[in-house]
Amino acid sequence: MIITGANSGLGAETAKALARHGAKVVLACRNTAKADDVAAAIGAAATVRELDLADLNSVRAFADTVEGADVLINNAGIMAVPLRRTAQGFESQMGTNHLGHFALTALLLPKITDRVVTLSSGMHLLGRINLGDLNWERRIYRRWQAYGDSKMANLMFGLELAKRLSDAGSDKKSFIAHPGIASTSLTGHTESIYGPLMKLTVLPIGQSSADGALPTLLAATTPDAPSGTFFGPKQLFGLRGAPVKSGYAPRAKDKAIREGLWRESERLTGIDFTV
């Protein structure tokens, strides 16, 4: 199994849990030093490989090293950071959270035998996909809106991938998951007052990274859920608790926006993603 961003937080907990149950895990990470520490804790079942989702050249280089895998877990992400650009000039949250994973999935799908799991967030509820300005080149940048947009893009991508796999008659599946509120290092990278505020006000009602990883683990291992299922915590309006099938914003079903996002993602990444 390939897990992006498995050097800390949800990704690390996902890798550890899967390895405990017999899986061989590839920790695909930008920070390979931290990933090495996680791999050392896991043991021989873990392999570390470099992957920077903010650089499509790195995505292609990583994909070239992969011979095959049962499951791809698109876990890595950044949250509410200041305006920055990826190596190819994408707004960093959309570029890392969605476009990098879109490109990675496109390149790896022929080598994946079972399923793709993509992490979204309850913050997808903020998301409004602006196909005319996906990369915040003409709008005044709002970090939380940009994060919500990227998480809506993750959800729409996972749903659209499930539809296209089904239409193609493929046995492969696409699932989406969100952790609710989990204590991870994401809040420490906002470079603003939001990080400390979240630690004081929001995180105390959340759950551990290990519990936050449970929806991802369910999505990665469930034998019978329909492709396209969105998993999240059961309690406190999806903020914590055991993983279950989760609801999502009705606009994620918008056929025109989902197909438009797919086409725009192909254009921006330069990858023809035909399922």
Side-chain angles (χ1 to χ4, degrees), residues 53-110:
L53 288 159
D55 185 349
L56 294 181
N57 292 326
S58 176
V59 173
R60 290 181 182 276
F62 171 81
D64 286 343
T65 71
V66 176
E67 294 183 0
D70 295 326
V71 179
L72 169 63
I73 300 178
N74 291 323
N75 164 84
I78 56 176
M79 181 179 74
V81 296
L83 178 59
R84 293 196 180 97
R85 299 287 170 186
T86 69
Q88 283 72 37
F90 309 142
E91 185 277 314
S92 63
Q93 296 189 84
M94 184 63 73
T96 301
N97 298 352
H98 168 62
L99 292 171
H101 281 127
F102 178 91
L104 180 66
T105 305
L107 295 170
L108 290 186
L109 190 61

Side-chain angles (χ1 to χ4, degrees), residues 143-208:
R143 64 175 75 200
W144 283 105
Q145 183 64 59
Y147 178 67
D149 289 356
S150 73
K151 293 290 102 179
M152 175 59 83
N154 288 146
L155 174 58
M156 284 187 158
F157 169 60
L159 294 171
E160 185 65 18
L161 179 59
K163 178 183 182 300
R164 292 184 182 222
L165 287 168
S166 176
D167 289 349
S170 174
D171 292 332
K172 299 176 187 179
K173 295 183 178 182
S174 169
F175 294 103
I176 317 95
H178 78 91
I181 292 179
S183 180
T184 72
S185 62
L186 275 181
T187 57
H189 298 286
T190 64
E191 300 179 32
S192 70
I193 191 62
Y194 294 118
L197 281 177
M198 288 183 68
K199 287 183 179 180
L200 288 173
T201 61
V202 178
L203 292 185
I205 67 173
Q207 54 193 357
S208 68

